[in-house]
Amino acid sequence: AVVSTQSTGKLAEKTQEKEDVELSLNRTLEDLREVQGNFNSSQEELSAARGQIGTLKEELNNTRVELMETKINLEMTKADLMNVTQSKCVLQKGNLTKWDVFYSPDYYNKTFTRQLYRKLQNTWETISSRLFGMTITDKLIELIKDLDDGEIETCGDLDS
């Protein structure tokens, strides 16, 4: 009877230990499933991030190509502008006509409007009213150009 009571006590103890281990095992399995779910979600997010990185790399490469094309266009435009500046703005004594004023930055490549007309008219009225009684010489022309440099800051300031 004592052996039987001891056996029953040990059996109950071992049964309780077994239940505790099973409970612990079930909790561990639940934790493992949760971790597996988190891992799977992380894998999906990683895969999506890699896809986005690939897309961004492609966009970056396209932007680099566009930038290079833009730089080339800029250089070509600079060269064209230099050609225009050299061919249109090198105004030398003896080669000028009354129309060369339209090569100045105020007028060149601009649509002739009433505002531009008024500016031209005012400029000539201002200059012509101050010229009465003066002899037009190289010195006077250079003085007028020096006074006008504030407005004409391109084409080498038209000082040739």
Side-chain angles (χ1 to χ4, degrees), residues 36-92:
Q36 184 66 42
N38 289 340
F39 177 75
N40 290 341
S41 293
S42 296
Q43 289 288 65
E44 290 170 6
E45 290 174 12
L46 178 61
S47 179
R50 285 181 176 153
Q52 288 175 341
I53 289 172
T55 300
L56 291 174
K57 282 182 178 180
E58 186 177 323
E59 287 178 18
L60 179 60
N61 286 335
N62 290 339
T63 302
R64 284 182 180 151
V65 168
E66 287 178 29
L67 177 60
M68 186 57 69
E69 290 172 353
T70 301
K71 283 181 178 180
I72 291 169
N73 286 338
L74 176 62
E75 292 305 316
M76 290 171 58
T77 301
K78 282 181 181 179
D80 289 345
L81 182 58
M82 192 61 120
N83 289 337
V84 167
T85 301
Q86 290 173 351
S87 66
K88 301 293 184 190
C89 293
V90 177
L91 305 178
Q92 297 175 359

Side-chain angles (χ1 to χ4, degrees), residues 18-20 26 28-30 32 37 42 50 67 71 76 92 113-114 117:
K18 178 185 170 223
E19 288 174 3
D20 290 344
N26 286 336
T28 303
L29 282 173
E30 287 175 17
L32 180 60
S42 296
R50 285 181 176 153
L67 177 60
K71 283 181 178 180
M76 290 171 58
Q92 297 175 359
T113 61
R114 286 195 184 278
Y117 167 76

